[in-house]
Amino acid sequence: MSAEPLEIYLEERDLGRSLREDVRTGLTAEPKWLPPKWFYDARGSELFEEITRLPEYYPTRAERAVLAERAAVIAELTNAKTLIELGSGSSEKTRLLLDAFTRRGGLGTFVPLDVSVSALCQSTAEIAEDYPGLRVRGIVGDFTRHLDRLPAGGRRLVLFLGGTIGNLLPAERARFLAAMRAALEPGDWLLLGTDLVKDPAVVVPAYDDAAGVTAEFNRNVLRVVNRELGADFDPAGFAHVALWDAEHEWIEMRLRARRPMRVRVLDLAVSFAEGEELRTEVSAKFRPAGIAAELGAARFAAHDFWTDPDNLFGVTLARAE
């Protein structure tokens, strides 16, 4: 069975408008910031895939270990007929679940949602070929804006993996989980991947690897702004910084100006002092009780919580109440 035509709720002009709004807001703020979603053009996606294979970057391996061990249990508990993945990318880890559901039988539809048309075209075609009995419906959309477009009916399991929820600030997480719950029916399921609080000596190198891949990934946001908005950032003029914030229990990635600079972008002339930092990502780490509390506030009941053998990464199965 071939993949169905993509359902597109986010077009190039929407992305362009959103980028302009984010750049204008973030670069005129104090301190300056840019959101992490703009890392991911084709080159950024390649760099991130490389990051996931680095020895320092534990989250992907740890989450995969949990899914490999628990996929059959998840299929049994949820008995889902529709599997929905938010921010799906290549859907590589999702295949562990697709395999388990295929062995069990009963799964009818897989719905990956992602902002990238090219990534979805490739992944939906490959999954439709590898799982011929499965209906594959790709949705081009933003998981912070288009949850109301998810297909209704049947028993649904939504996957939000990779610790991506940690890129949202606490108020943003609350809004996202509330919107997610509003899009589901009582009895539907959510499978949530969260990086756990641990020794900063383990966390920080995952965002500041010895090979410098994460540094290139971080600077890629400047290349995206240069290309898409005609800006004149000098990416090499910024040093990559990864800092552990003990109060908030999150990692911040920043770009630190190596010298005074004046950058032209849109109709702005943005000045950077030497040593001034531009925040590009927050990656929150979680404790099990905090995860359950945030889910509960959005009317999800945490059903099961699993970790890898080293207790690095958590996967929560929650049910919509």
Side-chain angles (χ1 to χ4, degrees):
M1 185 184 297
S2 61
E4 296 183 5
L6 298 181
E7 300 172 29
I8 297 177
Y9 302 114
L10 187 67
E11 298 182 349
E12 287 298 324
R13 63 176 179 270
D14 300 311
L15 288 170
R17 182 169 58 250
S18 179
L19 176 60
R20 289 191 297 274
E21 290 172 355
D22 285 343
V23 166
R24 184 179 298 280
T25 303
L27 294 185
T28 57
E30 186 59 45
K32 299 179 179 69
W33 57 269
L34 288 172
K37 64 182 177 181
W38 302 116
F39 289 136
Y40 296 95
D41 63 350
R43 177 59 177 151
S45 296
E46 289 173 2
L47 286 167
F48 184 72
E49 287 300 315
E50 192 175 341
I51 287 168
T52 66
R53 297 188 290 270
L54 292 169
E56 298 97 330
Y57 195 78
Y58 62 84
T60 300
R61 291 190 298 275
E63 185 178 43
R64 185 183 290 116
V66 177
L67 295 176
E69 182 177 0
R70 303 295 181 179
V73 173
I74 292 165
E76 182 72 26
L77 284 171
T78 63
N79 191 28
K81 308 305 178 190
T82 299
L83 197 62
I84 298 167
E85 184 173 18
L86 306 182
S88 56
S90 64
S91 297
E92 180 187 349
K93 285 177 291 192
T94 311
R95 288 172 176 265
L96 296 167
L97 292 162
L98 289 173
D99 290 344
F101 277 98
T102 299
R103 287 191 296 269
R104 188 179 187 281
L107 184 69
T109 305
F110 175 57
V111 184
L113 181 149
D114 200 90
V115 297
S116 171
V117 172
S118 59
L120 272 180
C121 282
Q122 181 175 342
S123 66
T124 55
E126 291 173 352
I127 288 171
E129 181 177 354
D130 293 344
Y131 300 88
L134 196 62
R135 182 185 181 195
V136 181
R137 294 178 55 184
I139 295 178
V140 179
D142 183 332
F143 62 73
T144 65
R145 293 169 48 200
H146 297 114
L147 294 178
D148 59 339
R149 308 300 176 93
L150 298 179
R155 185 178 295 213
R156 293 172 292 178
L157 168 61
V158 177
L159 314 177
F160 195 36
L161 302 174
T164 304
I165 194 166
N167 295 145
L168 304 177
L169 296 173
E172 294 171 330
R173 291 201 301 268
R175 288 193 296 271
F176 165 78
L177 289 171
M180 184 75 263
R181 176 61 189 86
L184 297 179
E185 299 292 335
D188 285 338
W189 297 87
L190 172 65
L191 191 70
L192 181 66
T194 47
D195 199 0
L196 302 179
V197 173
K198 61 187 70 66
D199 187 340
V202 176
V203 179
V204 174
Y207 296 84
D208 193 11
D209 61 277
V213 182
T214 310
E216 281 305 294
F217 176 68
N218 195 6
R219 284 188 282 264
N220 195 61
V221 72
L222 304 182
R223 298 187 183 96
V224 170
V225 175
N226 282 351
R227 184 185 66 245
E228 298 299 327
L229 300 182
D232 60 358
F233 276 104
D234 173 17
F238 289 84
H240 167 68
V241 179
L243 297 173
W244 173 249
D245 183 324
E247 179 185 354
H248 295 102
E249 296 188 321
W250 65 41
I251 279 279
E252 285 195 15
M253 288 209 317
R254 304 177 186 176
L255 291 167
R256 179 181 294 156
R258 301 182 192 271
R259 63 179 190 277
M261 279 180 274
R262 193 168 177 84
V263 177
R264 297 197 172 277
V265 54
L266 301 173
D267 56 355
L268 304 173
V270 182
S271 295
F272 286 87
E274 181 178 355
E276 185 176 355
E277 293 177 344
L278 167 69
R279 190 178 75 188
T280 53
E281 182 177 81
V282 163
S283 184
K285 311 307 169 188
F286 296 85
R287 298 179 185 273
I291 298 165
E294 291 193 36
L295 288 167
R299 294 188 297 125
F300 284 101
H303 189 280
D304 285 285
F305 176 80
W306 303 292
T307 68
D308 60 285
D310 296 318
N311 206 37
L312 298 173
F313 198 94
V315 175
T316 303
L317 180 63
R319 194 170 189 177
E321 296 183 307

